[in-house]
Amino acid sequence: MSGTVLVTGGAGYVGSHTAKALAQAGYQPVTVDNLGRGFAHAVRWGPLERGDILDRAFLDAAIRRWQPQAVLHFAAHSYVGESVTAPGLYYRNNVVGSLTLLEAMRDHAIANIVFSSTCATYGLPVRLPLSEDHPQAPINPYGASKLMVERLLADFGAAHGLRSVALRYFNAAGADPDGEIGENHDPETHLIPLAIGAALGTQPKLKIFGTDYATADGTCIRDYIHVTDLAAAHVAALRHLEAGGASVACNLGTGAGLSVRAILTEVERVAGRSVPAEEGPRRAGDPPELVADAARARQLLGWTPQCSDIASVISTAYQWAARQHNRSTP
Ligand code: UFG
């Protein structure tokens, strides 16, 4: 079954890659985005309804116009550090925005939603790898806001029959292998684009946040998952709901962790030059290691990462960054 799907945040990083995957799977993605942090040029596989999910009248009009059969909900702020200094922004946009969307779905009888959640809902790991039944005790407002939305999904499910898949991403990385879209955050805070930018000379020297962790090389370990694999998981989650599958939360990661130093080594290999870097203190709130147990997504959604080997992650991200750089350089 395919048809029209509302994609909130479809002009953003994961949202735009998923819109492409939806179009390739035969769906019509209709992007809802206020373009506050997304880009109109990333909306290439269907129409754009420019507006805010906090604006109920706007949502009603978009739903009436397009009659979507399901919603994929990406629209959110996603900077951990910013969420600590501006929690109101995060609770309003991420929680109140999601509540407004869910009420609109309820009133327009749209039953199925796939939600962008995060491993930040777990907080500090008490065991690794992290499976979905690990306690959820977020340590920052970003993670807390996403966990609150997971709770909204459950309550709307019980009361109104809403059916949901919450996808808990680990570290989203990489870019579209065709080079059509990629990662553009402003400001950029993520390791891989910053390391590539340092190699290209478009970003300052990379600061390694902490070299005294109890890991093999002293730097933090993360589970990097290619954005194209995340996109495929959303299509699989949508199909799961359309086939009558139960509401569920699934981790999306590879199950393998890589250190900051391992990432820098791979960036240097792909770029063919060194990454100017300096060692610095730990960044507040960084857990030493985050690695997913992604067995549930494999079993329930039939999803396995196809392009999340580190060479594919870094080379697609590098190609995207190099192209952006060449465009902006006369
Ligand atoms: N890092 C550096 N230097 C930098 C940037 C990052 O050493 O300039 C390190 C971080 O300390 C961390 C690793 O690189 O160990 C990855 O950092 P990112 O900022 O790229 O990603 P995070 O793991 O901090 O954040 C990701 C998602 C968040 C999510 C979080 C869950 O981007 O949305 O995982 O912990 F909330």
Side-chain angles (χ1 to χ4, degrees):
M1 193 167 106
S2 55
T4 299
V5 177
L6 210 63
V7 182
T8 75
Y13 176 41
V14 186
S16 61
H17 286 79
T18 303
K20 177 172 181 173
L22 285 166
Q24 287 175 332
Y27 293 91
Q28 183 188 35
V30 173
T31 288
V32 161
D33 203 300
N34 64 9
L35 301 183
R37 295 185 179 183
F39 301 93
H41 63 71
V43 184
R44 304 176 54 159
W45 293 276
L48 167 65
E49 288 281 352
R50 184 174 181 176
D52 205 299
I53 55 167
L54 284 157
D55 180 347
R56 177 62 198 266
F58 159 75
L59 279 180
D60 284 339
I63 290 170
R64 267 192 223 104
R65 186 167 311 124
W66 297 102
Q67 302 286 317
Q69 67 193 36
V71 173
L72 271 63
H73 178 33
F74 300 91
H77 288 332
S78 62
Y79 292 119
V80 170
E82 183 185 56
S83 80
V84 175
T85 53
L89 186 67
Y90 277 68
Y91 290 117
R92 178 164 309 282
N93 196 51
N94 296 3
V95 182
V96 182
S98 296
L99 176 59
T100 309
L101 175 68
L102 294 187
E103 287 180 328
M105 289 179 67
R106 176 198 62 200
D107 295 346
H108 290 274
I110 304 171
N112 293 339
I113 183 168
V114 181
F115 171 60
S116 289
S117 191
T118 168
C119 66
T121 59
Y122 295 119
L124 296 174
V126 294
R127 55 175 188 269
L128 288 165
L130 287 146
S131 54
E132 289 84 357
D133 59 1
H134 184 282
Q136 287 180 290
I139 57 167
N140 52 60
Y142 168 65
S145 73
K146 291 285 184 173
L147 181 57
M148 287 177 189
V149 179
E150 288 198 11
R151 179 60 195 254
L152 290 178
L153 295 174
D155 290 346
F156 273 63
H160 309 302
L162 184 81
R163 296 165 66 252
S164 63
V165 177
L167 295 174
R168 297 180 188 150
Y169 314 161
F170 281 64
N171 284 58
D176 172 40
D178 304 327
E180 295 185 285
I181 41 177
E183 185 170 11
N184 289 107
H185 291 115
D186 185 19
E188 188 52 78
T189 63
H190 296 100
L191 174 64
I192 291 175
L194 286 178
I196 290 172
L200 291 172
T202 58
Q203 293 280 353
K205 195 187 273 190
L206 183 90
K207 268 212 180 65
I208 300 176
F209 294 145
T211 53
D212 58 348
Y213 286 98
T215 57
D217 66 17
T219 64
C220 283
I221 292 176
R222 294 288 181 272
D223 185 338
Y224 295 90
I225 181 81
H226 198 291
V227 67
T228 299
D229 283 330
L230 292 181
H234 287 77
V235 175
L238 179 59
R239 290 196 168 127
H240 165 83
L241 291 173
E242 288 174 349
S247 294
V248 70
C250 290
N251 286 337
L252 298 180
T254 64
L258 285 169
S259 72
V260 172
R261 287 197 205 279
I263 295 292
L264 298 193
T265 302
E266 184 62 15
V267 171
E268 290 183 336
R269 191 189 68 77
V270 168
R273 53 183 117 165
S274 67
V275 174
E278 63 188 9
E279 297 183 0
R282 295 181 178 195
R283 183 172 67 178
D286 270 343
E289 183 168 354
L290 293 171
V291 176
D293 174 347
R296 186 185 284 176
R298 214 165 37 239
Q299 284 152 14
L300 212 67
L301 306 180
W303 172 83
T304 45
Q306 300 295 315
C307 47
S308 290
D309 58 284
I310 196 58
S312 302
V313 167
I314 302 293
S315 61
T316 54
Y318 181 80
Q319 280 153 20
W320 173 253
R323 184 176 306 187
Q324 304 290 105
H325 177 45
N326 292 340
R327 271 201 200 125
S328 64
T329 317

